[in-house]
Amino acid sequence: MNDRLPSTDPSSAARRRLLRQGAALGAAGLAVPWLAGAAHAQEADLAPYRSAKINWRQVEGESIAVAVIPASYFDHLGTLLPQFEALTGIKVRIEKVPPGQIRQKATLDLSSRTGTYGTHAADPMYYPLYVANKWVDPLDKYLDDASLTDPAWFRYDDILKAWRDADSIGGKPYGIPYDGEVTVQVYRKDLYDAKGLKPAATLDELVANAKALHDPANRLYGLALRGFAGAGQNMYIYPSLLKGFGGGWFKGKDVVVNSPEAVQALEWYVNTLSQYAPPAVRNWNWPDIADAFSQGTLGCYIDAHSSAAVITNPEKSKVAGKIGYARWPKGPRDKCVTSIWNWGFPINAALPEKAKKATWLFITWATSAETQARTSWKSAGAAKRSGINRLSLWKSPEFADAMKGAGDNFIQAALDSLEQDTDVEWRPRVPQWPAIGETMATGIQAALVGQKKPKAALDEAQARIAQLMKG
């Protein structure tokens, strides 16, 4: 192994070694369908990474497995793996696991300490569970190790603070964000202009706008919010309402979900969807909402900024070019709270030391500014990734140019939300979250479909959660 820092102008021997690796990677790519056709790594491809003052090849020969969900933003990363393998000599096996299964599969691997995955696309709400059981490593020791991280090159602080905070516990990072999102108000600018409406600054204004546009006889509904039951579905929307109504999740150290503010927030959710949303919305997830909006049947919705890729697709959307964006409206307590979401990469604590180093090199490569750009505006294809993790890239002219087709105020609405409207305690960050999230989701949907009154639904959820917290 070559222990010296890699040069940006490698010797002839290094060039020959790189060519041999490129040939080997090309053969391997033929055996892996999602890497088929990936270009061989060239010297120019690797130069931006070699400017980092670390030895990328310090654990060459190591192999790691990485679990991700089937999504275009991870597919983009997969096409670049030959570059990482040529840079480091580390072999990476990507395993695609559906979103509904990756949390369970990762938890099983971590809890059994089998070390199957070096890292995985981690739900930020699972870090309290991981950390409480010491299943993942604190990452400050990797960030502070000059042999593994060049701080001037990696620029950890450039990663969006909201997502860094979401992947940290007790002030220590346990995951590095790769791709994320923020919830924003998405509206039909043409319909708003025709009626003299402005994007809502408050929830009252949101309801007034929905009422002004609501015309179900002509298949136009005023507003939609996710109603589908799930810790990442209706419990992705309700927490922002709770915070907007001045509510919280704790009374002292106890999780309390049936406070007066919680009941008011759920009543607003139920009443607004009942009056101005399509009847089926109670079982809709974000793709259903984005599809309905793209077909021209919704005046407004609030959901992830990344849904813009669906509603602006000219081949499928009837409303492309007629879309505007704004922040979450403020609630009665003058609070505007958006979601905090990202897929981040932790390090499995059960790995041997060399595998941990290999995993860290993969994580820093994948989350670096250069790779983020290469998986966004520098990537092939019409749809450019909008969930990039770095503030400098969000503010770059290249990203602005790539997102110009998304609609009016897209980048500014998302950035303002990320910088001004985030609350890391948006959902209760406790080890018992998986069970709490599902319990709350069931209660919320029971209220949305009319099976229970909001207070009764939350009282029942409270009783179950109190038992969970005792266990």
Side-chain angles (χ1 to χ4, degrees):
M1 183 174 66
N2 185 357
D3 289 328
R4 67 179 177 83
L5 294 178
S7 168
T8 56
D9 183 21
S11 65
S12 298
R15 290 180 187 275
R16 290 195 296 271
R17 180 178 63 195
L18 183 62
L19 289 172
R20 290 196 298 272
Q21 289 165 347
L25 288 167
L30 294 176
V32 184
W34 83 325
L35 295 181
H40 292 196
Q42 302 295 323
E43 285 297 309
D45 294 328
L46 306 186
Y49 303 100
R50 287 186 167 155
S51 67
K53 295 177 180 178
I54 62 168
N55 177 12
W56 285 101
R57 304 194 70 82
Q58 61 189 279
V59 287
E60 63 179 308
E62 283 293 310
S63 296
I64 60 170
V66 177
V68 299
I69 66 165
S72 61
Y73 42 83
F74 286 123
D75 289 345
H76 289 320
L77 186 66
T79 64
L80 299 178
L81 276 181
Q83 295 178 11
F84 174 75
E85 294 181 339
L87 176 71
T88 63
I90 298 165
K91 186 68 179 174
V92 180
R93 177 177 64 83
I94 295 286
E95 183 176 330
K96 292 185 181 181
V97 184
Q101 299 172 23
I102 196 166
R103 296 165 180 83
Q104 289 75 17
K105 202 163 186 176
T107 300
L108 179 61
D109 179 44
L110 293 171
S111 62
S112 63
R113 303 191 184 275
T114 51
T116 301
Y117 302 115
T119 188
H120 67 280
D123 181 331
M125 290 302 297
Y126 276 61
Y127 287 113
L129 175 65
Y130 293 173
V131 173
N133 289 284
K134 298 183 179 178
W135 292 340
V136 296
D137 278 359
L139 300 182
D140 52 337
K141 67 179 182 181
Y142 298 92
L143 285 164
D144 295 340
D145 186 337
S147 71
L148 290 170
T149 308
D150 177 354
W153 180 85
F154 185 60
R155 298 178 62 207
Y156 174 66
D157 287 349
D158 184 38
I159 295 174
L160 291 161
K161 184 178 184 300
W163 296 347
R164 282 189 280 125
D165 289 348
D167 292 1
S168 299
I169 301 292
K172 286 191 175 186
Y174 285 88
I176 305 294
Y178 169 75
D179 188 275
E181 61 193 33
V182 60
T183 42
V184 292
Q185 187 181 165
V186 186
Y187 64 96
R188 282 281 300 280
K189 192 171 184 300
D190 59 328
L191 298 181
Y192 273 46
D193 288 348
K195 293 269 189 178
L197 305 176
K198 295 181 179 179
T202 66
L203 290 178
D204 286 345
E205 290 177 10
L206 185 71
V207 171
N209 286 349
K211 183 178 181 180
L213 293 180
H214 194 58
D215 186 8
N218 289 303
R219 296 191 69 243
L220 180 63
Y221 296 86
L223 176 69
L225 300 168
R226 299 187 198 190
F228 187 71
Q233 309 307 331
N234 54 20
M235 265 298 281
Y236 181 84
I237 295 298
Y238 172 76
S240 293
L241 295 172
L242 171 67
K243 293 283 183 174
F245 275 84
W249 295 107
F250 294 93
K251 187 174 183 180
K253 294 183 178 180
D254 296 327
V255 176
V256 176
V257 302
N258 62 344
S259 66
E261 296 86 356
V263 174
Q264 291 167 12
L266 186 52
E267 287 175 344
W268 185 94
Y269 198 1
V270 171
N271 293 339
T272 303
L273 292 191
S274 296
Q275 293 179 69
Y276 302 115
V281 78
R282 296 163 180 82
N283 289 301
W284 278 7
N285 193 356
W286 78 263
D288 306 298
I289 291 174
D291 286 343
F293 187 86
S294 68
Q295 294 308 303
T297 61
L298 288 180
C300 178
Y301 70 92
I302 297 176
D303 216 291
H305 84 281
S306 54
S307 62
V310 175
I311 62 178
T312 60
N313 183 344
E315 295 179 3
K316 298 181 179 179
S317 176
K318 297 178 180 178
V319 300
K322 305 174 183 177
I323 305 167
Y325 302 86
R327 292 157 59 187
W328 251 103
K330 292 180 180 179
R333 300 297 175 87
D334 206 36
K335 288 191 71 174
C336 184
V337 181
T338 185
S339 64
I340 302 176
W341 177 261
N342 70 87
W343 288 114
F345 288 129
I347 291 182
N348 190 332
L351 297 176
E353 284 305 309
K354 279 190 174 182
K356 286 183 179 182
K357 289 182 178 181
T359 301
W360 176 251
L361 292 174
F362 168 79
I363 291 172
T364 53
W365 168 81
T367 61
S368 69
E370 181 63 30
T371 302
Q372 291 286 304
R374 291 184 187 192
T375 54
S376 182
W377 66 81
K378 291 184 179 181
S379 64
K384 305 302 183 185
R385 182 164 80 89
S386 64
I388 53 178
N389 68 1
R390 290 172 175 272
L391 184 60
S392 62
L393 299 187
W394 271 87
K395 293 184 175 181
S396 69
E398 294 89 350
F399 187 61
D401 187 60
M403 296 295 116
K404 64 184 179 184
D408 186 58
N409 202 41
F410 176 73
I411 290 178
Q412 198 60 52
L415 266 184
D416 286 347
S417 297
L418 283 165
E419 294 183 318
Q420 300 176 43
D421 303 337
T422 56
D423 180 346
V424 75
E425 300 297 340
W426 164 64
R427 294 188 287 193
R429 301 205 309 158
V430 293
Q432 297 89 345
W433 161 254
I436 289 174
E438 291 302 326
T439 299
M440 281 298 295
T442 300
I444 290 167
Q445 197 188 44
L448 289 175
V449 301
Q451 290 177 348
K452 292 184 174 69
K453 295 292 185 183
K455 186 176 187 308
L458 292 178
D459 285 345
E460 186 174 313
Q462 179 63 49
R464 292 180 179 175
I465 289 168
Q467 291 299 313
L468 287 171
M469 297 303 290
K470 288 179 182 178

